[in-house]
Amino acid sequence: MTPAEKAKAPPTTVPRDGPDLTGPELEARLHRTWARPRGLIGWLSSVDHKEIGVRYVVTALIFFAMAGLLALHMRLQLARPESNLMTPELYNETFTMHGSTMMFLFAVPVMQGMQIYLTPLMAGTRNMAFPRLTAFSYWMYLSGGLMLWISHVMNISPDNGWFSYVPLAGPQFSPGKRADVWAQMITFTEVAALAVAVTLTTTILKQRAPGMTLARMPIFLWSTLVTSVMVIFSMPSVALASSMLISDRSVGTQFFNPAENGDALLWQHLFWFFGHPEVYIIFLPGTAFVSEIVVTFCRRSIHGYSVVALSLVATGILAFGLWVHHMFATGLPRVGYSFFTAASMSVAIPTGLQIFCWIATMWEGRPRLTVPMLYVIGFIFTFVIGGLSGVIIASVPLDLQLTDTYFIVAHLHYVLIGGGVFPLIGAITYWFPKVTGRMMSERMGKIAFWALFLGFQLAFFPMHISGLMGMPRRVFTYPAGMGLELPNMLSTIGAFVVAAAVLLFVVNLVNSLFRGVPAGPNPWDAPSLEWAASSPPAPYNFPHIPVVESRTPLWDADGSLRVVHGLRVEEPELLLTTVVSATPDIREPGVAPSPWPFLSTIATAVVFVCSIFSPWALVFGIVPAGIALTAWFWPKKPPPEGEPVIV
Amino acid sequence: MTLRHVFADDVSELPTNAFSHRSLTWWGVIGFMVIEGTAFGLVFATYFFLMSHEQHWAPQPLLPPNPLAGTLFTIIILATEIPNTMIKKAAEKYDLATVRRLLPWMVGVPLLLFVLRGFEFNSLNVNWYDNAYGSVLWALLVLHTTHIGTDWVDTVVLWRLMMTPHGEEPRRFSDIDENSLYWRFVWLAWLPIYLLIYLVPRLFR
Amino acid sequence: MKPGRFTALVVAGMAVSGCGGIQNALGGQAVQSRDFVSLFAVFMVVCTVMYFVTVGTLMWAVFRRRRATEACTVETGRHEVSAPGSRTALVVWTTLIAVGLSALAVASFFTDRSLAAAARSPKLAITVTANQWWWDVQYTPDNPSHIIRTANELHLPVGVPAEITLKSNDVIHSFWIPNLAGKQDVIPGRVTDAQILPRQIGQYRGQCAEFCGTEHANMALDVTVESMADFKKWAAAQLQPAIAPTTPLAAAGFNYVTTRQCSVCHNITGTPANGQLGPDLTHLASRKTIAAGTLPLTRGNLYGWVADPQSQKPGSQMPTMQIAPQDLHAIVAYLETLK
């Protein structure tokens, strides 16, 4: 039938959810429709956001542990002055791998993984907007990470720092393939992150439950939206820079070569234009975890919802105006620097507003000090130190002494661990029951928290001192007799305490997976929609798409949940709503499991890895990659019968 | 505590396909346009950053690029907007016959554009490895060529798809609509690049 | 207590509290570094207050006594109700933050002005060229016959503003003498500069502060701030060509060094050795360390360095060559005479 004919044909009887089809019978049929096939092929073909989200988080935590082991090795080397536990070459590779793994393979992917898992559940929909693209992103991320770590095993890992400054990383001073491995790892991880960002943005704008206006969506969705837009605007910069670096190294372009009209500072501008928003891309989801946890455990809505939402937006925008504060020592005009000092200090204001709102929420409510709340409190104690040391280095005269010293190492770990990892562990503890259907051990969680909190302070606070006492960054050793022995030894001890705490957390995680107390859908009595789904959620998330009338739907529900009905049951279907008012608009076909994202990754990964060795790989590799992508896009079966309405 | 479901609106009569901001993939296309636009913007910034170091741009003794091939290219790519718009409008009316008739133009004319693009590379009067000016000019042209290349492949695939029975599916018309939208981005992005390659190096010699 | 007095006390406190090192940002032994210490003290005070206000309020909010019924929670049915006065509290909080940050920005601005003022009319011109992994130092007065060239060390007369022009021969480095001033990156293709006005005589240590490759950690320089008289003595000695060898062993060393591989890279003024690739050795024996601060200047270290630099500083540009033992004795004997 032509589309016009289809428009006139009467609707045939198609099973749809509703008063006539609800409860266990509906759920069984939805399960058959939405569950993916079992077996290896089914696993490789999964497009279920929950599965992909868990893969992202688990993979990221494994990279976190590996990068953490590298850190312990470095701390052993630095525990004593003039130590030769590690050669300078090994040390330089180690800190490069540590930084690159933590930033590109842990911090952003873990936040995106949590966002992938939680966004459709919190928004009240059944999957992400582009499920196969999400699956592709995961495989691309994994490929980039594997490539980097295999290079480490093969002793061709990058050794110029996670920031890979030129001309050191250029063709003249870094012969061999190490710097190219770094640059291609960027390509993999940036493609993955960008694809996820577009998917998350689309999901939040178009798939929110009916009635969930932008002003009613959970703060977590605001933060996901803001950080996804930030990813979209910032990551092209590092992708461009790394491509220019590969090009300088492999085909002889002169972007960064001062002898041929190029400029070494071009790299720094492009890198930090990405690099500064990057740290907020890590931090803002951390603040969103805090908002969600505080609401549940203080038993009330967030104080100042609009203030918090607008602060997220303001931080996201301001973050793009700060990047030159990483370049204060490069000798750019001082007049320009003043702008960046002012901007760098101003960004503290929206964060300060968020802190006010959290504290006000605690004040007005009745805080319950569960493990997630402990991490919230630990976060405030720790992150604020990092934020204030950030205010210190926003001043150019102060930064000129402190930049490139251990003071910065202290600052960055205080904000990233305090502002990212602490909320993350609290969030994993908080949502663990939803993901697995079991509770984590509260007792083990509290011990791990205190070990992590105290160990962290012991490891990183002394670094403020060693920085002030003249210890630069990225040094494999330091001379004896300069007073650096004590802070370094304390940091090393602290690092091992942190490692023990992380180990305890992992033990808790694994143990609770098998022996945790079983949890129902809403063990914390939390207000947001994900807690209406079962624990763990069914493949289709919700049997009926919920309707939302407030910011805290489950608290205002009185035991009942308003839902829409009429979606197909035998074919996967979900609901698109309008962007602003979230009125039901389109019935969108769901996407079936597909092996093509995985196969496309293989084709693309081969192109990217081979291009490290020859630029021709890009030319020839286009063909298999193009075939895989075409097969991915090509429709596999016609749309379902009985669809008369097209507008 | 299992929640009791209270049934509200019936959504079974809602359409399953729509265009523009009501279509999910439209947002995906917009997202990728923003990403690529940002990348182009950063290359423009790089261009001006490198230019700010120079007394002369094109740096002496280089000649600026010869604009003949590039100008022809610009005229032709702007002309493709005519069939492009006709295809877009036809798609929004689910007019399969018109779409099938006009798509070959969007497959064939870009081949001419590729030929002209080849001449453009030859007209730059500088190699990518000579200096940073050459590198950034080549970068602009290579990026845009990749841009046209990927959209052309998309168009070929869509054209073949529309010639099969799949072409009758409503969803395919949104795909055509969005592909036409993307083509507009391809030639819009070209306009500032044209100026940066052919005009600016003549202004600051 | 006057603000200046207060800051001076804090500064003194910090300086006294075990912070007397040769590579110490709290040393404050020059105008620039002293400005840093004062400004840092101001920031520390304000930031510490802000911190304790924040965590104090947090603890109060968490642990304050409240009756179960008064809380605005879901249990009491008031989970969207705000506490009275919370709007005022928000305004006060935001104002405090904004005022605090503005005050710090203003303080920072004044320090910037002070540093700019100290940088005007320098009296001593020095050019430092950074290499992987050593510092080439050249004093460049107006009279070309008075150019002094040395390596990995700096002598500065106290109370005289010096301007150091910075260049790089390879990658980005950073010139940093924490006791005296903040750091300045050294970028190939660009010329940057640093200003230092030392105020206290002493021995200090600088170090490269931008990761520059394998031996970034071993790229230091010895800095001597001395009286004008001592500086002039040092400069006069530096202007002399290399001392001629007086013993047969040293003469043999002289022959080797000035005719064999050493002379390809190193310069010894007044001898045939005029290589420009490595550190100038004319007055090597007058320095405190070798290999850019990696090793103290001792006989044993000279032996070790000349015989096998790669084992002392792997990756360094000085290759390990096969030197026969008797040649080694001769070389070290000669180098020790280069005062």
Side-chain angles (χ1 to χ4, degrees), chain C residues 11 18 25 55 73 77 107 111 113 160 185 190 217 222 244 286 291-292 302 335:
Chain C
V11 167
V55 299
T73 62
T111 304
R113 306 302 316 139
V160 174
D185 286 355
R190 286 169 181 256
D222 298 313
S286 69
L302 272 175
L335 291 178

Side-chain angles (χ1 to χ4, degrees), chain A residues 173 263 299-301 329 334 345 352-353 362-365 381 395 400-401 403-404 468-470 474 552 556, chain C residues 23-25 51 64 66 72-75 79-81 83 93 108 112 176 178 183-185 190 209-210:
Chain A
F173 299 103
D263 191 351
R299 315 301 301 141
R300 57 155 293 116
S301 309
R334 282 299 254 264
M345 291 201 181
L353 289 174
M362 296 180 208
W363 180 284
E364 290 159 345
F381 266 86
S395 150
L400 290 180
Q401 280 282 24
T403 194
D404 271 309
L468 282 163
M469 290 173 73
R474 300 159 184 153
T552 48
D556 305 323
Chain C
Q23 187 173 319
N24 176 11
Y51 181 70
R64 76 184 184 105
R66 69 200 89 196
C72 301
T73 62
V74 65
E75 281 81 16
H79 71 93
E80 285 171 326
V81 173
W93 179 276
S108 176
D112 250 339
W176 186 40
K183 60 186 64 73
Q184 177 58 55
D185 286 355
R190 286 169 181 256
E210 183 61 66

Side-chain angles (χ1 to χ4, degrees), chain A residues 3 50 102 163 202 267 334 340 377 420 505 623 645:
Chain A
K50 299 179 288 298
M102 285 297 193
F163 51 96
T202 310
W267 172 269
R334 282 299 254 264
F340 289 96
I377 294 175
F505 168 69
V623 176
V645 185

Side-chain angles (χ1 to χ4, degrees), chain A residues 580-598:
Chain A
V580 174
S581 56
T583 330
D585 192 27
I586 304 278
R587 282 179 298 121
E588 178 76 9
V591 168
S594 163
W596 290 106
F598 177 72

